[in-house]
Amino acid sequence: MQIEQPQRRRRLVSLTPLIDVVFILLIFFMLASTFVDQHIFSVDAPAQDTAATQDDDVQPLRIRVDEDGYRVDEQLLDRDAVIDKLRKLAADEDEPRVQVLAVAEAPVRAVIKLIDWSAGAGIEDVAVIREE
């Protein structure tokens, strides 16, 4: 006589320990990784004495960018005043030109904003010059 053995039920694998391990690994890699400040980079612009000058009678608007902000004729200007000057220049001149004099310690973000504001005002001829 043959006796049938009851079928064994398959054990289900519990995922709880696996999820715990994954979370521990995630926390480990988050704490062990280093976060590098990716928005810092240097821009090598030509020095002021090597910058190309044009022989036209129209003098470009020179805007100096330093740690404090934007300066035109040694007068410190805020964002709105600079944008107004750029718009006025674009309206008054046929071929408006801007020279951005960037000090070595000037934030690159400030120089890029100034170039964007110039483009927004309709000025295409923008030169960036490193001031030492």
Side-chain angles (χ1 to χ4, degrees):
M1 172 156 97
Q2 189 175 10
I3 301 177
E4 288 187 29
Q5 294 183 352
Q7 289 185 346
R8 290 187 151 185
R9 293 184 83 196
R10 289 184 68 193
R11 280 189 131 188
L12 294 176
V13 177
S14 176
L15 293 179
T16 306
L18 180 64
I19 293 172
D20 290 343
V21 169
V22 168
F23 280 127
I24 289 172
L25 286 173
L26 177 68
I27 291 171
F28 171 77
F29 285 117
M30 284 175 50
L31 294 176
S33 64
T34 58
F35 298 102
V36 178
D37 199 4
Q38 294 291 334
H39 68 275
I40 295 176
F41 60 93
S42 63
V43 174
D44 292 329
Q48 188 170 1
D49 56 347
T50 61
T53 58
Q54 296 186 3
D55 295 331
D56 293 341
D57 295 333
V58 179
Q59 289 293 327
L61 175 65
R62 291 177 177 231
I63 302 175
R64 186 171 187 260
V65 181
D66 57 13
E67 308 88 19
D68 300 329
Y70 305 99
R71 294 182 185 274
V72 176
D73 298 329
E74 298 303 320
Q75 180 184 4
L76 187 63
L77 299 176
D78 64 341
R79 172 189 179 273
D80 295 330
V82 171
I83 292 174
D84 288 341
K85 258 203 189 298
L86 291 170
R87 286 183 182 155
K88 184 175 184 290
L89 177 71
D92 293 346
E93 301 291 334
D94 292 333
E95 294 181 19
R97 281 189 246 141
V98 175
Q99 284 185 348
V100 179
L101 306 172
V103 177
E105 294 84 21
V108 176
R109 179 176 290 171
V111 175
I112 293 172
K113 282 182 182 179
L114 185 56
I115 295 170
D116 285 342
W117 297 337
S118 299
I123 301 172
E124 296 177 3
D125 191 0
V126 180
V128 179
I129 301 169
R130 183 185 66 216
E131 193 174 60
E132 301 196 26

